[in-house]
Amino acid sequence: MISVCICFAVVQIVLGVENNGVDKIQTFVIPHSHMDVGWVYTVQESMHAYAANVYSSVTEELTRAKHRKFIAVEQEFFRLWWDTVASDKQKQQVQQLVKEGRLEFIIGGQVMHDEAVTDLDDEILQLTEGHGFLYETFGVRPEFSWHVDPFGASATTPVLFAMAGFHAHLISRIDYDLKDEMQKSQGLQFVWRGSPSLGEQQEIFTHVMDQFSYCTPSYLPFSNRSGFFWNGEAFFPDPPKNGVYPHMSLPVTKENLHLYAETMAKNIQQRAAWFRTKHVLWPWGCDKQFFNSSVQFQNMDPLLSYINQHSEEFGVTVQYATLSEYFQAIHQSNVTWGVRGSQDFLPYSNEPFQAWTGFYASRNVLKGVARQASSKLHAAESLFTRYRASLPDGPVPKEWALEKLRALRWAVSEVQHHDGITGTESPKVADMYVQHLTQGMMGVEELLAALFLLPQALDPSGALYGQHRRSAGSSQDPEQHIIVYNPLAWNITAFINVTVTFPMATVYDDDGRPVPAQIQRSPGSNTTYDLFIVVSIGGLQHRQYTIKFTESPRRGTTTQNLLHSIKDMKTKRTVRVTQDFGEYIVNGDVRSGPISDNYIFSNKGSATPAYKSVGMEIVTGTIVSEIRQYFYREHSDEDYAYAVYTRVPEGFKGRVVCHRIEQSYSVGPLMMNREAILRTSTDLRNNRTIFTDNNGYQMLKRTHRTFANNSVARNYYPMVRAAYIEDRSTRLGFFSERPHGVSSQEQGQLEVMLHRRLWNNQEWNLGYNLTLNDTSVVRPVLWMVLGSQAASASLYQREALLLQHRPVVMPIDKPQKAWRAQEPRNGDPVNPVVLPPNLHLLTLSVPGWGYSSNHTQNLWDISRGKERKSGPDFNRVLLRIMHLFEVGEDPVLSKPTTINLQEVLQGLGELRSVEERSLTGTWDISELKRWKWRTVQGTKKGGSFLRFGVTDDFSVTLSPKKSEPSSSTSNNHLIAE
């Protein structure tokens, strides 16, 4: 029997308990260490220098004294410590500390993910990875967030955290001027309803940290040394030989005890004035703290004791606390909270000239590799699940397969860190991320090859005997063979591009029938050719194609032309469209004004043209016509600085293949202190308003705002998957396969920032090597769609996913009968997995969890030391299905949709049972009781729960923006969780 989990998020809103009327300020001192998974130093460097010591030291000090507490946030470091450093005794101590609630895991994801340029799929993945480890190891499920450092706050994150079972959400970095207003009005706490469709069903109490953010104030009025960081600053690569770390605080003594207490109490009182209750969250810690926690606690212990002994004098009480204790006190207060809708806190500025909008485009290559790895992981997960369903005893070792998947899961999760995919890390850390992603993808490609070419004999390492894959372009054989996999749960017809070395080719499918194909010289190459092949593949299925080459030269049509307009074939409206490349020239001298760096975009003026001459040609074809434009900085230049290749679908047999225009770009290397944009100008009257996506989850309207300073940079927004402009009748949209910055600076314009190369002389940037001297050539891809608002609304969600999850192409050496899901062991044909057009198969994977889905049983297993020793469970599958549309977005597609899971998943086997789970799979929905919060809008009747209610016949109804994770059992087949 094989289980299937379908995870659901459930929200229950409960009113708070009355305030106890305490007059003194109750202070919750929360010990923590902010440990970036990357940034300046690699993960291994950080583990060696301080991160491992944090957990070893904290474990020892918490065990020494019962009143001490600590919160653990970044799970990657903890997992590495647990698996490679911690002794059996330390593990037993941690188990006891967790049981006592004195060591509390917050967020629980692999990292503290960025909120601006991360994709929904990857946010869920990294959260699931961490939650699975914690539940399997300790039986705990994190219930609070600590998003203190991401550069701005997305409205998607609180929705996901609510779906995961969180009671409250904590953020910090929002616009400096907005935070100041919220402090003055005591508005730093509110109930956030991040999704306009889910509303109060997924609302979550949100706390914004005050102007001191997550670090303890370092200023001491009685000393020129740091304030409350007695262990000093972490030292790389090895500890100082004399044991004296930089910037160690003045020790607490009898002589300065009162001065320390006075300083702390005044800071607490200052903070208390900004909040509505008598509870103050006082974060004790900062970056890389508590690596020598004995020094920390030995100094803070007497300080807290002294303040409590003189609480009448100071007007405050203090206590070590976890985050849950603080939020419990807030929840029990008799306060009615304001409500915030689906607005986010992007972009983020910390000063008038410091808009953190540059990182939307920093390190474009890394951003592309991260999304490529995510897409490849998504495809491999579903293919392995199908393999397990069809051939549970097949020749591919399941342990080896899971090892390959887990390695890429780890790498994709890791790079979601807020100094990872953002591009704000040092060069060596960027190289680390790319290396981990590349190695993970190579392992998954081995798995894909093994699965595609079943049945094959495998050696113990999992390598295929007699199979040596190579790219199609490297083959000099008269024919080439490829396997193409569709990772989406929709039937698709699309064209793929294979680079080959022959000028003529004919393509046949696996039944020997010719398929439409077109070949032409590759741009910028005299030795390779682009072969476009039209493929039609069912949902989660793959097909094999044979390419037969000849040496005969192909005669193509090449003409000169310019892109000047696009015509909507349905409405017959022609929209003027011109495109060019521009550059913002930015300052690199801190003595001359604001600078741009990894994080910040600070322009000196408008973007100027990046070229003086343009070479263009059009290559026509039966499948696509390609417009090639080459942009030269100077008339005399032989090498172009920019290029754009626009592919317009021509269709075949009277049927249009797709609804979009594909554009790929070549940008760079840039000149120093240049920020490169693609500017698309139209005659649409959009009033400089743009719509951009929040993490690929929902679209937000961005009205142009005018500021006294820095208006250009502060009107830039992240585009993760999509952005568009529109007037009353027409919408022009772009879809991206990696994040970019996007803006509308003029009427009818949409500009996308593609690349940045920067250097500055700011001491802080130079010291950490964060100047972004990126000399790479980047090659992103955008899809462009033009149409009426109604037509575009029905297309854009699917188009974004079709770009994100394009067919996977795997070259193979020779024709061979490949395993296909349509050919199970009994020989009967199996239908593809196909969902309705408004539903998306977000996840189909074998997570390999070892824990019992029964919470009582899981705790019992852990108490008996059984956790993680029984091995992974290959009979449990994680399935998430998501409704793509908002309420009212489309008259048909926005309606609730009912599907029968047994019928939809019949291509995987007979469905026997389903468990309704939380977003990360750790909660049974029937056990998940989230806190209710009293709000000014009250609680409406109905909608208190977000449940899908799988019926006895496995039917389930999904309403707009609801996503469904679950668990079930099938007969000899894997299904989903």
Side-chain angles (χ1 to χ4, degrees):
M1 307 295 286
I2 294 178
S3 69
V4 176
C5 287
I6 300 179
C7 310
F8 298 95
V10 173
V11 176
Q12 185 179 8
I13 304 171
V14 186
L15 297 179
V17 181
E18 295 297 314
N19 194 331
N20 57 15
V22 176
D23 291 327
K24 293 188 182 69
I25 298 170
Q26 185 180 5
T27 310
F28 296 80
V29 177
I30 300 181
H32 77 98
S33 181
H34 183 71
M35 297 187 283
D36 290 306
V37 182
W39 190 40
V40 176
Y41 302 99
T42 67
V43 168
Q44 288 305 319
E45 286 176 328
S46 296
M47 282 291 292
H48 176 76
Y50 75 94
N53 285 346
V54 169
Y55 291 113
S56 295
S57 176
V58 166
T59 299
E60 180 179 359
E61 292 306 313
L62 264 58
T63 303
R64 287 174 184 266
K66 292 291 185 181
H67 67 289
R68 295 171 177 173
K69 299 178 182 179
F70 192 82
I71 64 170
V73 181
E74 291 81 7
Q75 289 307 310
E76 177 158 331
F77 285 126
F78 180 82
R79 289 181 69 175
L80 288 171
W81 176 79
W82 182 265
D83 289 336
T84 64
V85 177
S87 65
D88 289 341
K89 179 181 179 180
Q90 287 172 322
K91 290 184 177 181
Q92 293 173 0
Q93 291 172 332
V94 169
Q95 291 280 8
Q96 183 63 30
L97 293 171
V98 171
K99 185 177 180 180
E100 294 173 2
R102 297 198 293 118
L103 176 62
E104 183 172 82
F105 294 102
I106 302 300
I107 305 176
Q110 193 75 347
V111 297
M112 186 188 300
H113 72 256
D114 170 66
E115 300 193 37
V117 297
T118 44
D119 187 86
L120 172 75
D121 295 2
D122 305 324
E123 292 178 347
I124 295 174
L125 170 70
Q126 72 89 20
L127 199 63
T128 303
E129 281 294 285
H131 283 201
F133 164 78
L134 292 175
Y135 193 53
E136 185 176 69
T137 308
F138 303 105
V140 298
R141 297 168 288 203
E143 299 177 11
F144 305 94
S145 86
W146 181 264
H147 258 225
V148 296
D149 204 28
F151 322 131
S154 162
T156 300
T157 301
V159 175
L160 296 185
F161 286 168
M163 289 182 175
F166 288 14
H167 301 300
H169 179 41
L170 184 148
I171 63 177
S172 182
R173 291 186 184 266
I174 66 173
D175 267 2
Y176 69 98
D177 47 2
L178 177 59
K179 179 174 284 194
D180 184 59
E181 293 176 8
M182 295 171 75
Q183 284 184 173
K184 292 176 180 177
S185 64
Q186 293 186 327
L188 291 172
Q189 294 171 322
F190 50 87
V191 171
W192 199 352
R193 295 174 179 171
S195 167
S197 293
L198 299 179
E200 64 181 309
Q201 297 177 91
Q202 288 303 330
E203 70 181 14
I204 190 168
F205 180 82
T206 302
H207 171 102
V208 182
M209 282 189 156
D210 56 47
Q211 67 188 40
F212 294 101
S213 191
Y214 62 88
C215 289
T216 304
S218 59
Y219 169 70
L220 286 179
F222 56 88
S223 171
N224 60 0
R225 296 170 68 178
S226 295
F228 299 87
F229 306 134
W230 291 282
N231 58 238
E233 293 181 0
F235 196 85
F236 290 82
D238 296 306
K241 293 181 180 180
N242 61 2
V244 179
Y245 286 82
H247 304 294
M248 294 183 73
S249 300
L250 190 71
V252 175
T253 64
K254 291 182 179 179
E255 291 73 23
N256 64 25
L257 180 58
H258 182 82
L259 298 174
Y260 259 116
E262 192 174 52
T263 299
M264 184 173 179
K266 286 182 178 179
N267 181 260
I268 292 169
Q269 291 169 343
Q270 180 183 8
R271 286 175 149 165
W274 299 328
F275 294 92
R276 298 177 59 195
T277 72
K278 290 288 186 178
H279 310 99
V280 168
L281 187 160
W282 203 80
W284 177 34
C286 198
D287 293 6
K288 309 176 187 67
Q289 289 293 302
F290 284 87
F291 56 84
N292 189 356
S293 61
S294 62
V295 179
Q296 293 282 66
F297 283 112
Q298 286 169 13
N299 281 276
M300 184 62 87
D301 281 356
L303 177 57
L304 298 189
S305 177
Y306 181 83
I307 292 175
N308 286 331
Q309 291 171 9
H310 300 81
S311 62
E312 295 296 330
E313 174 187 350
F314 294 119
V316 305
T317 62
V318 291
Q319 67 189 72
Y320 290 130
T322 60
L323 188 60
S324 64
E325 290 175 306
Y326 171 74
F327 278 127
Q328 285 169 0
I330 297 297
H331 182 248
Q332 292 168 5
S333 62
N334 187 23
V335 174
T336 299
W337 303 100
V339 174
R340 184 178 181 87
S342 59
Q343 312 99 304
D344 61 8
F345 292 95
L346 291 168
Y348 161 63
S349 295
N350 67 324
E351 291 181 11
F353 286 100
Q354 294 197 352
W356 293 46
T357 57
F359 77 89
Y360 302 160
S362 294
R363 299 203 187 280
N364 184 272
V365 171
L366 172 62
K367 286 175 164 65
V369 173
R371 286 281 283 277
Q372 179 186 2
S374 173
S375 297
K376 188 156 292 185
L377 176 62
H378 179 270
E381 296 276 20
S382 61
L383 187 67
F384 179 63
T385 304
R386 297 214 67 167
Y387 161 74
R388 287 284 300 156
S390 297
L391 299 169
D393 301 316
V396 176
K398 57 182 182 293
E399 294 83 5
W400 171 79
L402 185 60
E403 178 186 349
K404 299 298 182 183
L405 292 171
R406 280 179 166 171
L408 189 52
R409 290 174 192 169
W410 185 289
V412 172
S413 296
E414 173 186 73
V415 79
Q416 307 311 315
H417 172 60
H418 57 271
D419 276 304
I421 196 170
T422 53
T424 54
E425 63 282 291
S426 66
K428 67 178 178 182
V429 175
D431 292 342
M432 177 201 72
Y433 290 131
V434 171
Q435 180 185 15
H436 292 176
L437 291 165
T438 303
Q439 289 175 341
M441 284 192 285
M442 290 174 62
V444 162
E445 286 171 359
E446 293 178 18
L447 172 60
L448 289 172
L451 295 175
F452 282 143
L453 298 175
L454 288 171
Q456 296 291 327
L458 288 93
D459 66 23
S461 68
L464 286 168
Y465 281 131
Q467 290 296 324
H468 305 285
R469 297 188 288 100
R470 59 176 179 253
S471 68
S474 66
S475 174
Q476 293 299 317
D477 297 334
E479 64 180 32
Q480 177 66 49
H481 307 275
I482 60 173
I483 292 177
V484 183
Y485 176 59
N486 171 23
L488 291 168
W490 302 318
N491 297 332
I492 66 165
T493 296
F495 64 80
I496 62 172
N497 183 6
V498 179
T499 301
V500 298
T501 57
F502 288 83
M504 284 291 290
T506 307
V507 183
Y508 301 88
D509 64 17
D510 39 16
D511 293 320
R513 294 173 297 195
V515 298
Q518 169 188 328
I519 196 167
Q520 61 194 42
R521 178 179 55 81
S522 300
S525 173
N526 294 321
T527 59
T528 62
Y529 299 84
D530 286 342
L531 175 62
F532 297 99
I533 306 171
V534 176
V535 296
S536 295
I537 309 177
L540 302 190
Q541 294 188 333
H542 59 275
R543 303 188 67 178
Q544 181 171 305
Y545 294 87
T546 300
I547 306 168
K548 295 188 176 182
F549 301 108
T550 65
E551 295 284 0
S552 304
R554 174 188 178 275
R555 293 183 179 179
T557 303
T558 302
T559 61
Q560 303 298 318
N561 213 329
L562 289 170
L563 176 66
H564 60 81
S565 65
I566 300 176
K567 185 175 183 179
D568 180 3
M569 300 306 294
K570 289 187 176 181
T571 65
K572 305 303 180 184
R573 178 182 176 181
T574 298
V575 176
R576 179 184 62 81
V577 177
T578 60
Q579 290 184 307
D580 65 352
F581 291 99
E583 292 177 345
Y584 287 100
I585 302 174
V586 297
N587 174 44
D589 185 352
V590 295
R591 296 165 297 186
S592 301
I595 61 168
S596 281
D597 63 11
N598 283 30
Y599 308 87
I600 295 165
F601 171 38
S602 183
N603 61 300
K604 293 169 64 175
S606 299
T608 58
Y611 59 93
K612 290 186 178 178
S613 66
V614 181
M616 301 186 184
E617 61 179 347
I618 292 181
V619 180
T620 61
T622 57
I623 296 175
V624 296
S625 289
E626 186 171 79
I627 305 168
R628 300 175 178 177
Q629 299 169 285
Y630 305 95
F631 296 76
Y632 300 86
R633 292 191 181 280
E634 301 293 340
H635 295 286
S636 59
D637 285 353
E638 294 184 2
D639 298 325
Y640 54 83
Y642 297 85
V644 56
Y645 310 104
T646 304
R647 294 169 183 146
V648 182
E650 298 294 343
F652 65 102
K653 296 183 180 179
R655 185 158 59 99
V656 175
V657 180
C658 54
H659 303 275
R660 69 261 176 182
I661 294 173
E662 177 179 298
Q663 291 190 318
S664 57
Y665 310 88
S666 174
V667 181
L670 299 180
M671 297 175 67
M672 190 63 75
N673 288 333
R674 299 289 195 274
E675 314 209 24
I677 63 164
L678 171 74
R679 182 191 291 113
T680 302
S681 302
T682 75
D683 54 5
L684 298 180
R685 310 296 293 177
N686 75 315
N687 198 30
R688 295 192 292 178
T689 294
I690 192 170
F691 295 79
T692 69
D693 70 305
N694 243 192
N695 311 109
Y697 178 70
Q698 57 192 359
M699 299 297 293
L700 296 185
K701 183 178 181 179
R702 313 293 197 178
T703 303
H704 191 277
R705 297 178 298 165
T706 301
F707 299 92
N709 302 296
N710 223 18
S711 283
V712 170
R714 294 187 74 174
N715 278 287
Y716 251 86
Y717 297 90
M719 174 176 70
V720 178
R721 290 186 187 174
Y724 63 80
I725 60 173
E726 66 182 12
D727 58 17
R728 292 183 178 181
S729 62
T730 304
R731 176 180 295 173
L732 176 69
F734 282 89
F735 307 97
S736 61
E737 37 73 81
R738 69 187 72 184
H740 300 285
V742 65
S743 185
S744 180
Q745 298 290 343
E746 300 292 341
Q747 180 82 285
Q749 283 188 355
L750 187 152
E751 64 181 50
V752 180
M753 188 174 289
L754 300 176
H755 198 10
R756 315 176 76 217
R757 183 183 179 188
L758 306 168
W759 187 90
N760 64 75
N761 59 4
Q762 182 168 278
E763 184 177 348
W764 184 83
N765 280 327
L766 292 175
Y768 287 125
N769 196 11
L770 297 175
T771 58
L772 198 64
N773 186 8
D774 188 346
T775 60
S776 63
V777 176
V778 301
R779 294 180 173 86
V781 175
L782 295 175
W783 284 0
M784 182 164 47
V785 172
L786 177 74
S788 66
Q789 291 186 20
S792 298
S794 66
L795 279 176
Y796 85 88
Q797 286 281 7
R798 285 175 61 93
E799 291 294 309
L801 288 165
L802 286 166
L803 175 57
Q804 176 75 7
H805 299 295
R806 286 169 286 184
V808 175
V809 180
M810 177 68 68
I812 58 176
D813 274 352
K814 55 186 178 180
Q816 188 168 341
K817 190 66 174 179
W819 165 76
R820 289 172 59 178
Q822 298 98 319
E823 298 169 1
R825 290 171 299 173
N826 59 15
D828 296 332
V830 176
N831 294 329
V833 176
V834 181
L835 291 173
N838 57 352
L839 301 185
H840 168 51
L841 184 62
L842 193 67
T843 307
L844 181 65
S845 73
V846 179
W849 296 321
Y851 61 75
S852 170
S853 61
N854 181 287
H855 184 58
T856 302
Q857 181 64 48
N858 186 51
L859 294 179
W860 173 248
D861 291 342
I862 292 172
S863 68
R864 295 167 59 200
K866 186 180 176 181
E867 108 280 346
R868 304 184 77 191
K869 295 180 181 178
S870 59
D873 182 357
F874 289 95
N875 295 333
R876 182 162 28 181
V877 180
L878 178 64
L879 168 72
R880 295 186 183 100
I881 299 175
M882 176 182 179
H883 196 299
L884 292 173
F885 289 81
E886 301 282 2
V887 170
E889 187 174 12
D890 185 272
V892 176
L893 297 174
S894 290
K895 292 180 178 179
T897 299
T898 300
I899 58 173
N900 185 285
L901 294 176
Q902 192 169 47
E903 294 176 358
V904 168
L905 300 174
Q906 63 178 322
L908 300 178
E910 181 185 355
L911 190 64
R912 298 291 296 274
S913 67
V914 174
E915 294 178 16
E916 193 175 355
R917 311 290 293 184
S918 62
L919 182 67
T920 59
T922 55
W923 284 93
D924 185 309
I925 286 303
S926 64
E927 300 174 353
L928 179 55
K929 308 296 181 184
R930 292 181 63 244
W931 295 350
K932 296 177 183 176
W933 297 86
R934 188 191 300 269
T935 67
V936 293
Q937 296 182 9
T939 302
K940 301 175 184 177
K941 292 183 178 179
S944 294
F945 295 90
L946 178 54
R947 297 199 62 172
F948 299 87
V950 182
T951 63
D952 291 339
D953 68 346
F954 303 113
S955 292
V956 59
T957 299
L958 285 88
S959 297
K961 284 302 175 186
K962 291 184 180 178
S963 64
E964 171 178 336
S966 86
S967 169
S968 79
T969 302
S970 63
N971 184 15
N972 277 338
H973 300 292
L974 279 181
I975 311 292
E977 173 176 45

